[in-house]
Amino acid sequence: MDIQQAITVLMAGESLGREGMAAVMTQIMTGEATQAQIGGFLVALTMKGETVEEITGAAEVMRKLAAPVDIKVPVLVDTCGTGGDGAGLFNVSTAAAFVVAAAGGHVAKHGNRSITSSTGSADVLEAAGVNLKVNAEQVARCVESIGVGFMFAPAHHSAMKHAIGPRKELGMRTIFNVLGPLTNPAGAKCQVLGVFDKTLCRPLAEVLKALGSEHVMVVSADDGLDEISLAVNTHVAELKEGVVSEYEIYPGTCGIAVQSLEGLNVDSAEESLALVLGALKNTAGERFQKAREIVAVNAGAALYVAGIADSYTEGVALALDTLATGLAGEKLKELVEMTACFNAA
């Protein structure tokens, strides 16, 4: 199936299947499709709605074409959201990565610049002084030595260059928002994946099961936030021991008060960084306290899927204790310093 045929199929409301999707994605990623065709395909697929088989087929192609990162640690975790929730919050999942590292975990953080929000993980880390121009071996050294490293998506998914133009011009959520978190170049088997629509939770958990993941929480708050929320219930699809189960996380059940997300919105990478640093360094102030608490409820999930905590509740408690020490802020400082050394070399 070629991309023109695929667009016709999608416009008729029919699905492509795993193999058909893989064939079209290969065309896109190898430069065989035009920009107009890619744009038309993305819109048609979004309007029809992606199936588990289609997402799996697309993710397989992206993983196959990605530049891999070989990290030698027992358990590797990623904290990554799809973006596209429109909430404009600071980079919660990025901050959570440093909490996990400070608590003894190993995080291969995968991310990019913003496509549909004010700031992406790459934007805020660059604002903090992290050198994004590191190679796969250097990323592995960061994760193995300090517990956290950042994989800048364009450096590992060079084939994505063919879709960048249409994505930016469309300025809307597409399958690529979903694919990014599914294509960790280090092959992290444990993951907390935030999505903008809770109807995606179980399908993406099923996709990750098909792709070989081991322990995953796919989360989406009732207000559309692609994080675990302090304000409303958060739906979870958890993959553990080969079984996907679904449940709700209720705000206020982990010793943290139910509260609005007011004050956590940002308009730039610099504003996001200020909240990230305030949370990680245990800075005093009501706004930083709220930032710290939303980071904790999300880092707690990562600590749980990584096996550092025996339950989600224990993970949140450990995250709060870790944040209180200020050690998570030191992990960010270490990453800045280590990547700067690579740059100098």
Side-chain angles (χ1 to χ4, degrees), residues 47-269:
M47 292 179 66
K48 193 272 298 180
E50 304 89 346
T51 65
V52 168
E53 291 76 17
E54 287 168 336
I55 298 170
T56 302
E60 285 176 323
V61 171
M62 281 191 66
R63 287 187 172 200
K64 182 179 179 181
L65 296 175
V69 180
D70 183 20
I71 302 175
K72 296 177 174 61
V73 298
V75 178
L76 194 61
V77 65
D78 189 11
T79 60
C80 188
T82 58
D85 62 9
L89 262 61
F90 77 103
N91 297 87
V92 176
S93 60
T94 303
F98 296 100
V99 180
V100 177
H106 293 89
V107 185
K109 181 76 178 77
H110 184 215
N112 206 342
R113 298 193 186 280
S114 170
I115 297 293
T116 57
S117 63
S118 59
T119 173
S121 54
D123 301 309
V124 74
L125 290 174
E126 187 175 57
V130 175
N131 173 27
L132 304 183
K133 297 179 180 179
V134 292
N135 60 36
E137 180 184 356
Q138 290 167 338
V139 172
R141 286 170 60 186
C142 288
V143 177
E144 292 165 1
S145 61
I146 65 176
V148 61
F150 182 69
M151 297 173 294
F152 185 35
H156 299 273
H157 299 286
S158 59
M160 275 289 295
K161 65 186 178 184
H162 302 294
I164 289 175
R167 286 189 72 194
K168 285 188 174 180
E169 290 180 15
L170 287 172
M172 58 180 279
R173 294 187 301 234
T174 70
I175 191 173
F176 284 107
N177 288 85
V178 172
L179 289 176
L182 299 176
T183 54
N184 184 294
K189 300 292 186 182
C190 301
Q191 187 170 355
V192 178
L193 197 172
V195 297
F196 52 82
D197 184 344
K198 68 180 181 181
T199 62
L200 287 170
C201 287
R202 187 176 191 96
L204 291 193
E206 296 287 358
V207 170
L208 285 168
K209 177 182 176 179
L211 293 171
S213 292
E214 295 173 356
H215 196 177
V216 172
M217 288 175 68
V218 185
V219 304
S220 182
D222 282 353
D223 56 7
L225 187 69
D226 68 332
E227 314 280 359
I228 298 172
S229 180
L230 299 175
V232 297
N233 293 350
T234 299
H235 189 72
V236 181
E238 179 180 352
L239 168 66
K240 185 178 182 181
E241 297 176 350
V243 177
V244 176
S245 59
E246 293 183 85
Y247 55 90
E248 303 291 315
I249 292 176
Y250 302 102
T253 57
C254 294
I256 296 174
V258 180
Q259 53 197 296
S260 77
L261 303 180
E262 185 179 356
L264 299 181
N265 303 83
V266 297
D267 293 319
S268 67

